Amino acid sequence: MNHTLRPGLLRHAIGPGLLMAGAAIGVSHLVQSTRAGAEYGLLLLPVVLLACLFKYPFLEFGPRYAAATGENLLIGYRRLGRWALALFALVTLGTMFIIQAVVTVVTAGLFGVVFGMEASPATLSAWIMGGCLILLGIGNYRGVDLGMKVIMGALTLSTLATVALAFGEAPDWSTLSGIAQAPQVWSAAGVAFLLALLGWMPIPLDVAVWHSLWTLERSRETGTRPSLGQSLTDFRIGFTAATLLALAFLLLGALTLHGSGQGLADSAVGFAAQLVDLYAGALGEWSRPLIAVAALTTMFSTTLAVTDAYPRVITALIQAARADERGVVPGPPDNHRWPYVLSLVVVLGGALTLIHLAGERFTTFVDLATTISFLSAPILAWLTLRVVTDAHMPAAARPGPVLLGLAWVGLFFLIAFSLVWAGWRILG
């Protein structure tokens, strides 16, 4: 980042946090949180809260590092050594196609519901990807940023209103608690779902890198350099919104589906229709078109954010790989436009291939993607913790003892659950 940028007001810093929240409030919330409430009532509510709490430090370290150093987090990894950059690259290459595919196919399902189309998931996904390709090919960060602010506001209001109305039917708390389903959590299917739920709750940890890139891009767009406090305020607004809506969707699934005997659809289109039914049942039939469009817009924004993030990450990885041990890239500045566009085409092409191969196995597809994200989380958490406590990080910007302690507890939490998964797979 250009260190001659003038200091900015808080309003100039607001944006990357909401973009992060918009990327989060997608599959993890609409799909996984709703499924958790539908199948287990409120039983997994503490698990969702713990996942958000223990991931908080590592997600916060992205904007913290960018604001303090003027560098993206990948340069920080490079300062640790090329091995750290290589580890992140392996995690990214191992997850980017499947994550892109999952958010796209959910959006495609909602697209099919809203417009009454019965095309295959692959065909609908191709249209969604085409829209993203056009918007990102000719657009810029500012358009994505503005659209996300409007959509996040609309989704938050409609979701909270739906949950409040669902509470109005005097739920049976003895059933809603989900205590009767406690033994099922430790079954093979229960453990698999629990790890899948934790994988993207509230969002995968590689988003810390995305956030650092968005923070620097926001600074470039506004011509101002936010302070550390302003960047952290922006992050906390987005993180709080993502956490509250995760709880809201879990409550929505518990209040409307738990104990009803109604299962969740396995196909993307079927699940999208079911989600719209939940809202319409609580708010009234008049709201069905409005909710369907709001849900589609939300998921499209999530897909757009993810589609923008991976090419940025690949481009930044190439640049960071050229840097020396001090994080300095030799030679003149790179032209990032063509690497970005080429990466965009590669990511979308790989994701579309996976969608075609997956067919109608929608929930299996989601579980696989979220489990991969969870198993890679300890690696990313450890790398990010090392970067923000390294000697090159300004001392005043390093995490304090409380945040640092929470980070270490969170790291042990992520490692412990990964070992639970490994033991379950070996012994099961």
Side-chain angles (χ1 to χ4, degrees):
M1 188 185 355
N2 183 358
H3 288 266
T4 64
L5 295 176
R6 66 183 186 276
L9 302 173
L10 177 60
R11 63 183 176 86
H12 292 145
I14 298 296
L18 292 180
L19 196 55
M20 180 271 293
I25 302 166
V27 175
S28 63
H29 291 55
L30 270 71
V31 180
Q32 298 295 69
S33 287
T34 304
R35 285 174 64 194
E39 296 181 18
Y40 298 100
L42 302 181
L43 185 64
L44 298 184
L45 186 61
V47 175
V48 170
L49 288 172
L50 283 176
C52 293
L53 176 65
F54 289 145
K55 286 186 180 180
Y56 173 89
F58 309 109
L59 292 168
E60 191 240 54
F61 291 160
R64 176 182 289 272
Y65 183 81
T69 65
E71 302 172 350
N72 67 67
L73 202 51
L74 292 175
I75 296 296
Y77 292 161
R78 173 62 188 92
R79 286 175 178 272
L80 295 180
R82 292 191 184 277
W83 60 269
L85 201 63
L87 276 177
F88 180 84
L90 285 174
V91 170
T92 298
L93 293 174
T95 59
M96 67 180 182
F97 293 119
I98 195 166
I99 290 176
Q100 180 71 57
V102 167
V103 298
T104 302
V105 80
V106 175
T107 308
L110 284 164
F111 185 80
V113 169
V114 170
F115 294 101
M117 305 186 70
E118 298 182 358
S120 69
T123 300
L124 293 173
S125 296
W127 291 345
I128 297 297
M129 289 179 178
C132 291
L133 189 61
I134 293 171
L135 288 174
L136 294 176
I138 64 176
N140 54 38
Y141 169 87
R142 186 167 295 179
V144 179
D145 174 65
L146 177 61
M148 192 66 74
K149 290 175 181 176
V150 174
I151 291 162
M152 278 292 299
L155 176 71
T156 299
L157 291 176
S158 61
T159 302
L160 295 179
T162 304
V163 173
L165 289 171
F167 264 113
E169 299 190 5
D172 180 357
W173 290 103
S174 61
T175 301
L176 195 62
S177 67
I179 297 299
Q181 281 71 43
Q184 298 176 20
V185 174
W186 302 112
S187 66
V191 171
F193 175 71
L194 185 61
L195 291 172
L197 176 67
L198 293 172
W200 279 1
M201 188 53 60
I203 197 167
L205 288 188
D206 43 345
V207 174
V209 170
W210 305 5
H211 202 152
S212 71
L213 293 169
W214 285 329
T215 297
L216 299 182
E217 183 64 17
R218 173 69 175 173
S219 179
R220 188 187 69 81
E221 287 277 351
T222 60
T224 63
R225 180 176 181 179
S227 67
L228 176 62
Q230 290 168 343
S231 291
L232 294 183
T233 297
D234 168 63
F235 167 78
R236 288 163 187 159
I237 291 171
F239 187 86
T240 300
T243 301
L244 289 177
L245 284 177
L247 301 180
F249 278 107
L250 188 147
L251 284 170
L252 189 60
L255 290 166
T256 56
L257 285 177
H258 184 63
S260 67
Q262 181 182 359
L264 291 170
D266 286 329
S267 70
V269 175
F271 180 85
Q274 207 167 35
L275 181 67
V276 173
D277 286 341
L278 291 180
Y279 277 92
L283 293 175
E285 282 300 316
W286 63 269
S287 67
R288 184 178 294 274
L290 180 64
I291 293 302
V293 172
L296 171 60
T297 307
T298 300
M299 274 309 307
F300 182 76
S301 297
T302 299
T303 304
L304 188 62
V306 172
T307 305
D308 174 70
Y310 280 120
R312 284 188 189 277
V313 168
I314 293 172
T315 303
L317 270 170
I318 294 171
Q319 183 184 33
R322 296 179 54 235
D324 60 22
E325 64 277 1
R326 296 170 299 156
V328 177
V329 180
D334 292 337
N335 180 0
H336 294 166
R337 188 61 181 171
W338 281 111
Y340 175 89
V341 173
L342 290 174
S343 300
L344 186 61
V345 173
V346 170
V347 171
L348 293 182
L352 189 59
T353 301
L354 283 179
I355 292 170
H356 175 73
L357 295 175
E360 293 294 321
R361 297 186 298 274
F362 167 66
T363 53
T364 302
F365 205 29
V366 172
D367 287 347
L368 177 60
T370 50
T371 301
I372 291 174
S373 291
F374 183 78
L375 293 177
S376 65
I379 299 172
L380 299 178
W382 177 63
L383 288 178
T384 307
L385 180 58
R386 285 204 56 183
V387 167
V388 296
T389 56
D390 196 59
H392 75 274
M393 180 75 169
R398 294 174 195 168
V402 174
L403 186 61
L404 196 59
L406 181 60
W408 279 108
V409 173
L411 180 58
F412 285 126
F413 169 81
L414 294 171
I415 292 173
F417 266 89
S418 295
L419 292 176
V420 167
W421 181 88
W424 167 68
R425 293 293 294 177
I426 294 171
L427 301 176

Short mmCIF file of all heavy atoms in Angstrom, two decimals, residues 281-338:
data_model
loop_
_atom_site.label_atom_id
_atom_site.label_comp_id
_atom_site.label_asym_id
_atom_site.label_seq_id
_atom_site.Cartn_x
_atom_site.Cartn_y
_atom_site.Cartn_z
N GLY A 281 -43.81 -19.00 5.18
CA GLY A 281 -44.68 -19.54 6.21
C GLY A 281 -44.75 -18.66 7.44
O GLY A 281 -45.77 -18.60 8.13
N ALA A 282 -43.64 -17.95 7.73
CA ALA A 282 -43.61 -17.08 8.90
C ALA A 282 -44.14 -15.68 8.60
O ALA A 282 -44.88 -15.10 9.39
CB ALA A 282 -42.18 -16.99 9.44
N LEU A 283 -43.78 -15.14 7.45
CA LEU A 283 -44.17 -13.77 7.13
C LEU A 283 -45.50 -13.69 6.39
O LEU A 283 -46.14 -12.64 6.40
CB LEU A 283 -43.08 -13.11 6.27
CG LEU A 283 -41.73 -12.85 6.95
CD1 LEU A 283 -40.73 -12.32 5.93
CD2 LEU A 283 -41.88 -11.87 8.08
N GLY A 284 -45.87 -14.77 5.71
CA GLY A 284 -47.08 -14.74 4.90
C GLY A 284 -46.76 -14.90 3.43
O GLY A 284 -45.64 -14.58 2.98
N GLU A 285 -47.74 -15.40 2.66
CA GLU A 285 -47.51 -15.67 1.25
C GLU A 285 -47.15 -14.41 0.45
O GLU A 285 -46.49 -14.49 -0.58
CB GLU A 285 -48.75 -16.34 0.64
CG GLU A 285 -48.87 -17.82 0.96
CD GLU A 285 -47.67 -18.61 0.45
OE1 GLU A 285 -47.24 -18.39 -0.71
OE2 GLU A 285 -47.15 -19.45 1.20
N TRP A 286 -47.61 -13.26 0.94
CA TRP A 286 -47.31 -12.02 0.22
C TRP A 286 -45.80 -11.79 0.10
O TRP A 286 -45.32 -11.11 -0.83
CB TRP A 286 -47.92 -10.83 0.96
CG TRP A 286 -47.37 -10.62 2.34
CD1 TRP A 286 -47.84 -11.13 3.51
CD2 TRP A 286 -46.19 -9.87 2.68
NE1 TRP A 286 -47.05 -10.75 4.56
CE2 TRP A 286 -46.03 -9.97 4.10
CE3 TRP A 286 -45.28 -9.11 1.95
CZ2 TRP A 286 -44.99 -9.35 4.77
CZ3 TRP A 286 -44.23 -8.50 2.63
CH2 TRP A 286 -44.09 -8.62 4.02
N SER A 287 -45.05 -12.36 1.06
CA SER A 287 -43.61 -12.11 1.10
C SER A 287 -42.80 -13.06 0.22
O SER A 287 -41.60 -12.85 0.06
CB SER A 287 -43.11 -12.22 2.54
OG SER A 287 -43.20 -13.57 2.99
N ARG A 288 -43.45 -14.09 -0.32
CA ARG A 288 -42.68 -15.11 -1.05
C ARG A 288 -41.82 -14.54 -2.17
O ARG A 288 -40.61 -14.83 -2.24
CB ARG A 288 -43.64 -16.18 -1.60
CG ARG A 288 -42.93 -17.33 -2.29
CD ARG A 288 -43.93 -18.39 -2.77
NE ARG A 288 -44.58 -19.03 -1.64
CZ ARG A 288 -44.08 -20.08 -1.00
NH1 ARG A 288 -42.91 -20.59 -1.38
NH2 ARG A 288 -44.72 -20.61 0.01
N PRO A 289 -42.36 -13.73 -3.09
CA PRO A 289 -41.49 -13.20 -4.15
C PRO A 289 -40.36 -12.32 -3.60
O PRO A 289 -39.22 -12.40 -4.06
CB PRO A 289 -42.46 -12.37 -5.02
CG PRO A 289 -43.80 -12.89 -4.69
CD PRO A 289 -43.75 -13.30 -3.26
N LEU A 290 -40.68 -11.50 -2.59
CA LEU A 290 -39.68 -10.62 -2.01
C LEU A 290 -38.55 -11.41 -1.37
O LEU A 290 -37.37 -11.12 -1.57
CB LEU A 290 -40.34 -9.71 -0.97
CG LEU A 290 -39.43 -8.71 -0.26
CD1 LEU A 290 -38.88 -7.71 -1.26
CD2 LEU A 290 -40.19 -8.00 0.85
N ILE A 291 -38.92 -12.44 -0.59
CA ILE A 291 -37.91 -13.24 0.09
C ILE A 291 -37.08 -14.04 -0.91
O ILE A 291 -35.85 -14.17 -0.76
CB ILE A 291 -38.59 -14.19 1.10
CG1 ILE A 291 -39.21 -13.39 2.23
CG2 ILE A 291 -37.59 -15.20 1.65
CD1 ILE A 291 -38.23 -12.51 2.98
N ALA A 292 -37.71 -14.57 -1.93
CA ALA A 292 -36.98 -15.34 -2.93
C ALA A 292 -35.93 -14.48 -3.61
O ALA A 292 -34.77 -14.90 -3.79
CB ALA A 292 -37.96 -15.91 -3.96
N VAL A 293 -36.31 -13.28 -3.97
CA VAL A 293 -35.35 -12.38 -4.62
C VAL A 293 -34.26 -11.96 -3.65
O VAL A 293 -33.08 -11.89 -4.01
CB VAL A 293 -36.08 -11.14 -5.19
CG1 VAL A 293 -35.08 -10.10 -5.68
CG2 VAL A 293 -37.02 -11.55 -6.32
N ALA A 294 -34.63 -11.70 -2.37
CA ALA A 294 -33.63 -11.30 -1.37
C ALA A 294 -32.62 -12.42 -1.14
O ALA A 294 -31.41 -12.18 -1.05
CB ALA A 294 -34.33 -10.93 -0.07
N ALA A 295 -33.12 -13.66 -1.02
CA ALA A 295 -32.22 -14.80 -0.81
C ALA A 295 -31.30 -15.00 -2.02
O ALA A 295 -30.10 -15.28 -1.86
CB ALA A 295 -33.03 -16.06 -0.54
N LEU A 296 -31.88 -14.89 -3.22
CA LEU A 296 -31.07 -15.04 -4.43
C LEU A 296 -30.00 -13.95 -4.49
O LEU A 296 -28.83 -14.23 -4.79
CB LEU A 296 -31.96 -14.96 -5.66
CG LEU A 296 -31.24 -14.88 -7.02
CD1 LEU A 296 -30.36 -16.11 -7.23
CD2 LEU A 296 -32.23 -14.73 -8.17
N THR A 297 -30.39 -12.72 -4.20
CA THR A 297 -29.44 -11.61 -4.24
C THR A 297 -28.32 -11.81 -3.23
O THR A 297 -27.14 -11.55 -3.51
CB THR A 297 -30.16 -10.28 -3.97
OG1 THR A 297 -31.26 -10.15 -4.86
CG2 THR A 297 -29.22 -9.10 -4.18
N THR A 298 -28.70 -12.31 -2.05
CA THR A 298 -27.70 -12.56 -1.01
C THR A 298 -26.69 -13.61 -1.45
O THR A 298 -25.47 -13.43 -1.33
CB THR A 298 -28.39 -13.02 0.28
OG1 THR A 298 -29.29 -12.00 0.71
CG2 THR A 298 -27.37 -13.30 1.38
N MET A 299 -27.19 -14.72 -1.97
CA MET A 299 -26.29 -15.79 -2.39
C MET A 299 -25.48 -15.38 -3.61
O MET A 299 -24.31 -15.76 -3.75
CB MET A 299 -27.08 -17.07 -2.69
CG MET A 299 -27.34 -17.96 -1.49
SD MET A 299 -25.87 -18.36 -0.50
CE MET A 299 -24.74 -19.02 -1.71
N PHE A 300 -26.08 -14.57 -4.49
CA PHE A 300 -25.30 -14.10 -5.64
C PHE A 300 -24.17 -13.20 -5.17
O PHE A 300 -23.05 -13.27 -5.71
CB PHE A 300 -26.21 -13.35 -6.63
CG PHE A 300 -25.46 -12.89 -7.86
CD1 PHE A 300 -25.14 -13.80 -8.86
CD2 PHE A 300 -25.07 -11.57 -8.00
CE1 PHE A 300 -24.44 -13.39 -9.99
CE2 PHE A 300 -24.37 -11.16 -9.12
CZ PHE A 300 -24.06 -12.06 -10.12
N SER A 301 -24.44 -12.37 -4.16
CA SER A 301 -23.39 -11.52 -3.62
C SER A 301 -22.27 -12.34 -2.98
O SER A 301 -21.09 -12.02 -3.10
CB SER A 301 -23.98 -10.56 -2.58
OG SER A 301 -24.92 -9.71 -3.18
N THR A 302 -22.67 -13.42 -2.29
CA THR A 302 -21.68 -14.33 -1.71
C THR A 302 -20.81 -14.94 -2.81
O THR A 302 -19.58 -14.98 -2.72
CB THR A 302 -22.38 -15.44 -0.91
OG1 THR A 302 -23.13 -14.86 0.14
CG2 THR A 302 -21.36 -16.41 -0.33
N THR A 303 -21.48 -15.41 -3.85
CA THR A 303 -20.75 -16.01 -4.98
C THR A 303 -19.84 -14.98 -5.64
O THR A 303 -18.69 -15.28 -6.00
CB THR A 303 -21.75 -16.57 -6.01
OG1 THR A 303 -22.61 -17.50 -5.37
CG2 THR A 303 -21.03 -17.27 -7.15
N LEU A 304 -20.34 -13.76 -5.78
CA LEU A 304 -19.54 -12.70 -6.39
C LEU A 304 -18.31 -12.39 -5.53
O LEU A 304 -17.20 -12.22 -6.06
CB LEU A 304 -20.39 -11.46 -6.56
CG LEU A 304 -19.79 -10.30 -7.36
CD1 LEU A 304 -19.50 -10.74 -8.79
CD2 LEU A 304 -20.73 -9.11 -7.35
N ALA A 305 -18.48 -12.34 -4.20
CA ALA A 305 -17.36 -12.07 -3.31
C ALA A 305 -16.31 -13.17 -3.39
O ALA A 305 -15.10 -12.90 -3.45
CB ALA A 305 -17.86 -11.90 -1.87
N VAL A 306 -16.77 -14.43 -3.38
CA VAL A 306 -15.85 -15.56 -3.47
C VAL A 306 -15.15 -15.58 -4.84
O VAL A 306 -13.94 -15.84 -4.94
CB VAL A 306 -16.60 -16.89 -3.23
CG1 VAL A 306 -15.70 -18.09 -3.50
CG2 VAL A 306 -17.11 -16.94 -1.79
N THR A 307 -15.93 -15.29 -5.89
CA THR A 307 -15.37 -15.28 -7.24
C THR A 307 -14.31 -14.19 -7.38
O THR A 307 -13.31 -14.36 -8.10
CB THR A 307 -16.48 -15.06 -8.27
OG1 THR A 307 -17.49 -16.05 -8.10
CG2 THR A 307 -15.94 -15.17 -9.69
N ASP A 308 -14.50 -13.07 -6.69
CA ASP A 308 -13.50 -12.00 -6.71
C ASP A 308 -12.28 -12.37 -5.87
O ASP A 308 -11.15 -12.03 -6.23
CB ASP A 308 -14.13 -10.72 -6.17
CG ASP A 308 -13.11 -9.60 -6.02
OD1 ASP A 308 -12.64 -9.08 -7.05
OD2 ASP A 308 -12.78 -9.24 -4.88
N ALA A 309 -12.51 -13.09 -4.76
CA ALA A 309 -11.43 -13.34 -3.81
C ALA A 309 -10.36 -14.28 -4.36
O ALA A 309 -9.15 -13.99 -4.23
CB ALA A 309 -12.01 -13.92 -2.52
N TYR A 310 -10.76 -15.39 -4.96
CA TYR A 310 -9.75 -16.38 -5.37
C TYR A 310 -8.78 -15.85 -6.43
O TYR A 310 -7.56 -16.06 -6.31
CB TYR A 310 -10.42 -17.68 -5.81
CG TYR A 310 -10.81 -18.54 -4.62
CD1 TYR A 310 -12.13 -18.90 -4.39
CD2 TYR A 310 -9.85 -18.98 -3.72
CE1 TYR A 310 -12.48 -19.67 -3.30
CE2 TYR A 310 -10.19 -19.75 -2.62
CZ TYR A 310 -11.51 -20.09 -2.42
OH TYR A 310 -11.86 -20.85 -1.33
N PRO A 311 -9.26 -15.17 -7.47
CA PRO A 311 -8.28 -14.59 -8.41
C PRO A 311 -7.36 -13.57 -7.75
O PRO A 311 -6.18 -13.48 -8.09
CB PRO A 311 -9.17 -13.94 -9.48
CG PRO A 311 -10.44 -14.70 -9.43
CD PRO A 311 -10.63 -15.03 -7.97
N ARG A 312 -7.90 -12.79 -6.79
CA ARG A 312 -7.04 -11.85 -6.06
C ARG A 312 -5.96 -12.60 -5.29
O ARG A 312 -4.81 -12.18 -5.23
CB ARG A 312 -7.87 -11.02 -5.09
CG ARG A 312 -8.68 -9.91 -5.71
CD ARG A 312 -9.31 -9.01 -4.64
NE ARG A 312 -10.26 -8.09 -5.24
CZ ARG A 312 -9.92 -6.95 -5.81
NH1 ARG A 312 -8.64 -6.59 -5.82
NH2 ARG A 312 -10.83 -6.17 -6.35
N VAL A 313 -6.37 -13.69 -4.65
CA VAL A 313 -5.42 -14.47 -3.85
C VAL A 313 -4.34 -15.08 -4.75
O VAL A 313 -3.15 -15.05 -4.41
CB VAL A 313 -6.17 -15.57 -3.07
CG1 VAL A 313 -5.17 -16.57 -2.47
CG2 VAL A 313 -7.00 -14.95 -1.96
N ILE A 314 -4.75 -15.65 -5.88
CA ILE A 314 -3.78 -16.26 -6.79
C ILE A 314 -2.78 -15.22 -7.29
O ILE A 314 -1.57 -15.45 -7.33
CB ILE A 314 -4.50 -16.94 -7.96
CG1 ILE A 314 -5.32 -18.14 -7.45
CG2 ILE A 314 -3.49 -17.40 -9.02
CD1 ILE A 314 -6.22 -18.75 -8.50
N THR A 315 -3.30 -14.05 -7.67
CA THR A 315 -2.44 -12.96 -8.14
C THR A 315 -1.48 -12.52 -7.05
O THR A 315 -0.28 -12.32 -7.28
CB THR A 315 -3.29 -11.77 -8.60
OG1 THR A 315 -4.19 -12.20 -9.63
CG2 THR A 315 -2.42 -10.65 -9.14
N ALA A 316 -2.00 -12.39 -5.82
CA ALA A 316 -1.15 -11.98 -4.70
C ALA A 316 -0.14 -13.07 -4.34
O ALA A 316 0.98 -12.76 -3.91
CB ALA A 316 -2.02 -11.65 -3.49
N LEU A 317 -0.53 -14.33 -4.49
CA LEU A 317 0.41 -15.43 -4.25
C LEU A 317 1.59 -15.36 -5.21
O LEU A 317 2.75 -15.57 -4.81
CB LEU A 317 -0.31 -16.78 -4.40
CG LEU A 317 -0.95 -17.38 -3.17
CD1 LEU A 317 -1.81 -18.58 -3.55
CD2 LEU A 317 0.10 -17.79 -2.14
N ILE A 318 1.31 -15.09 -6.47
CA ILE A 318 2.38 -14.99 -7.47
C ILE A 318 3.33 -13.86 -7.10
O ILE A 318 4.56 -14.00 -7.17
CB ILE A 318 1.77 -14.77 -8.87
CG1 ILE A 318 0.98 -16.01 -9.30
CG2 ILE A 318 2.87 -14.46 -9.89
CD1 ILE A 318 0.17 -15.82 -10.56
N GLN A 319 2.76 -12.73 -6.69
CA GLN A 319 3.58 -11.59 -6.29
C GLN A 319 4.40 -11.91 -5.05
O GLN A 319 5.61 -11.60 -4.98
CB GLN A 319 2.72 -10.36 -6.07
CG GLN A 319 3.53 -9.10 -5.73
CD GLN A 319 2.66 -7.92 -5.42
OE1 GLN A 319 1.58 -8.08 -4.85
NE2 GLN A 319 3.11 -6.72 -5.76
N ALA A 320 3.75 -12.52 -4.04
CA ALA A 320 4.46 -12.84 -2.80
C ALA A 320 5.57 -13.85 -3.03
O ALA A 320 6.60 -13.81 -2.35
CB ALA A 320 3.47 -13.37 -1.76
N ALA A 321 5.37 -14.77 -3.97
CA ALA A 321 6.40 -15.78 -4.26
C ALA A 321 7.66 -15.13 -4.82
O ALA A 321 8.76 -15.68 -4.69
CB ALA A 321 5.84 -16.81 -5.24
N ARG A 322 7.51 -13.96 -5.46
CA ARG A 322 8.67 -13.25 -6.02
C ARG A 322 9.38 -12.40 -4.99
O ARG A 322 10.48 -11.90 -5.24
CB ARG A 322 8.21 -12.35 -7.18
CG ARG A 322 7.64 -13.11 -8.38
CD ARG A 322 7.19 -12.14 -9.48
NE ARG A 322 8.27 -11.24 -9.85
CZ ARG A 322 8.18 -9.91 -9.84
NH1 ARG A 322 7.07 -9.33 -9.42
NH2 ARG A 322 9.20 -9.16 -10.20
N ALA A 323 8.76 -12.21 -3.82
CA ALA A 323 9.33 -11.33 -2.80
C ALA A 323 10.52 -11.99 -2.11
O ALA A 323 10.62 -13.23 -2.05
CB ALA A 323 8.26 -10.96 -1.79
N ASP A 324 11.41 -11.15 -1.57
CA ASP A 324 12.53 -11.69 -0.79
C ASP A 324 12.08 -11.89 0.66
O ASP A 324 10.90 -11.71 0.99
CB ASP A 324 13.75 -10.76 -0.87
CG ASP A 324 13.47 -9.35 -0.35
OD1 ASP A 324 12.53 -9.18 0.44
OD2 ASP A 324 14.20 -8.42 -0.75
N GLU A 325 13.02 -12.25 1.54
CA GLU A 325 12.66 -12.57 2.92
C GLU A 325 12.17 -11.36 3.70
O GLU A 325 11.58 -11.49 4.76
CB GLU A 325 13.86 -13.20 3.64
CG GLU A 325 15.06 -12.30 3.81
CD GLU A 325 15.94 -12.29 2.55
OE1 GLU A 325 15.58 -12.98 1.57
OE2 GLU A 325 16.99 -11.60 2.56
N ARG A 326 12.38 -10.15 3.15
CA ARG A 326 11.86 -8.94 3.80
C ARG A 326 10.49 -8.54 3.25
O ARG A 326 9.94 -7.52 3.63
CB ARG A 326 12.84 -7.78 3.60
CG ARG A 326 14.21 -7.99 4.25
CD ARG A 326 15.17 -6.92 3.78
NE ARG A 326 15.36 -6.99 2.32
CZ ARG A 326 15.74 -5.95 1.56
NH1 ARG A 326 15.97 -4.78 2.12
NH2 ARG A 326 15.90 -6.11 0.26
N GLY A 327 9.98 -9.35 2.32
CA GLY A 327 8.68 -9.05 1.72
C GLY A 327 8.75 -8.05 0.59
O GLY A 327 7.71 -7.54 0.14
N VAL A 328 9.94 -7.75 0.09
CA VAL A 328 10.12 -6.77 -0.98
C VAL A 328 10.11 -7.48 -2.33
O VAL A 328 10.87 -8.44 -2.54
CB VAL A 328 11.44 -5.99 -0.81
CG1 VAL A 328 11.65 -5.01 -1.97
CG2 VAL A 328 11.44 -5.26 0.53
N VAL A 329 9.25 -7.01 -3.25
CA VAL A 329 9.16 -7.59 -4.58
C VAL A 329 10.11 -6.83 -5.50
O VAL A 329 9.98 -5.61 -5.65
CB VAL A 329 7.72 -7.51 -5.14
CG1 VAL A 329 7.65 -8.12 -6.53
CG2 VAL A 329 6.76 -8.21 -4.19
N PRO A 330 11.09 -7.50 -6.12
CA PRO A 330 12.05 -6.79 -6.96
C PRO A 330 11.42 -6.34 -8.28
O PRO A 330 10.43 -6.91 -8.74
CB PRO A 330 13.14 -7.85 -7.21
CG PRO A 330 12.42 -9.16 -7.09
CD PRO A 330 11.36 -8.95 -6.05
N GLY A 331 12.03 -5.32 -8.87
CA GLY A 331 11.58 -4.86 -10.18
C GLY A 331 10.39 -3.93 -10.10
O GLY A 331 9.89 -3.60 -9.03
N PRO A 332 9.88 -3.52 -11.28
CA PRO A 332 8.72 -2.61 -11.32
C PRO A 332 7.45 -3.33 -10.87
O PRO A 332 7.39 -4.57 -10.87
CB PRO A 332 8.63 -2.22 -12.81
CG PRO A 332 9.28 -3.36 -13.53
CD PRO A 332 10.37 -3.85 -12.63
N PRO A 333 6.43 -2.57 -10.47
CA PRO A 333 5.16 -3.18 -10.04
C PRO A 333 4.55 -4.06 -11.13
O PRO A 333 4.63 -3.73 -12.31
CB PRO A 333 4.26 -1.97 -9.73
CG PRO A 333 5.20 -0.84 -9.50
CD PRO A 333 6.40 -1.11 -10.36
N ASP A 334 3.99 -5.18 -10.72
CA ASP A 334 3.36 -6.09 -11.68
C ASP A 334 2.05 -5.51 -12.19
O ASP A 334 1.36 -4.75 -11.52
CB ASP A 334 3.06 -7.44 -11.00
CG ASP A 334 4.33 -8.19 -10.66
OD1 ASP A 334 5.37 -7.92 -11.29
OD2 ASP A 334 4.28 -9.04 -9.75
N ASN A 335 1.71 -5.90 -13.42
CA ASN A 335 0.38 -5.62 -13.94
C ASN A 335 -0.53 -6.76 -13.50
O ASN A 335 -0.41 -7.88 -13.99
CB ASN A 335 0.42 -5.52 -15.47
CG ASN A 335 -0.96 -5.23 -16.06
OD1 ASN A 335 -1.94 -5.10 -15.34
ND2 ASN A 335 -1.00 -5.13 -17.38
N HIS A 336 -1.43 -6.48 -12.55
CA HIS A 336 -2.23 -7.55 -11.94
C HIS A 336 -3.48 -7.89 -12.74
O HIS A 336 -4.15 -8.86 -12.42
CB HIS A 336 -2.65 -7.13 -10.52
CG HIS A 336 -1.50 -7.01 -9.58
ND1 HIS A 336 -1.59 -6.39 -8.36
CD2 HIS A 336 -0.21 -7.43 -9.69
CE1 HIS A 336 -0.42 -6.44 -7.74
NE2 HIS A 336 0.42 -7.04 -8.54
N ARG A 337 -3.81 -7.10 -13.75
CA ARG A 337 -5.09 -7.29 -14.42
C ARG A 337 -5.17 -8.62 -15.14
O ARG A 337 -6.15 -9.37 -14.96
CB ARG A 337 -5.32 -6.13 -15.40
CG ARG A 337 -6.72 -6.12 -16.02
CD ARG A 337 -7.75 -5.98 -14.93
NE ARG A 337 -9.11 -5.99 -15.47
CZ ARG A 337 -10.20 -6.05 -14.74
NH1 ARG A 337 -10.10 -6.12 -13.42
NH2 ARG A 337 -11.39 -6.04 -15.28
N TRP A 338 -4.17 -8.95 -15.96
CA TRP A 338 -4.25 -10.19 -16.73
C TRP A 338 -4.14 -11.44 -15.86
O TRP A 338 -4.88 -12.40 -16.08
CB TRP A 338 -3.21 -10.19 -17.86
CG TRP A 338 -3.67 -9.37 -19.02
CD1 TRP A 338 -3.16 -8.18 -19.46
CD2 TRP A 338 -4.78 -9.66 -19.88
NE1 TRP A 338 -3.89 -7.72 -20.52
CE2 TRP A 338 -4.88 -8.60 -20.80
CE3 TRP A 338 -5.70 -10.71 -19.94
CZ2 TRP A 338 -5.86 -8.57 -21.81
CZ3 TRP A 338 -6.67 -10.67 -20.93
CH2 TRP A 338 -6.75 -9.62 -21.85
#
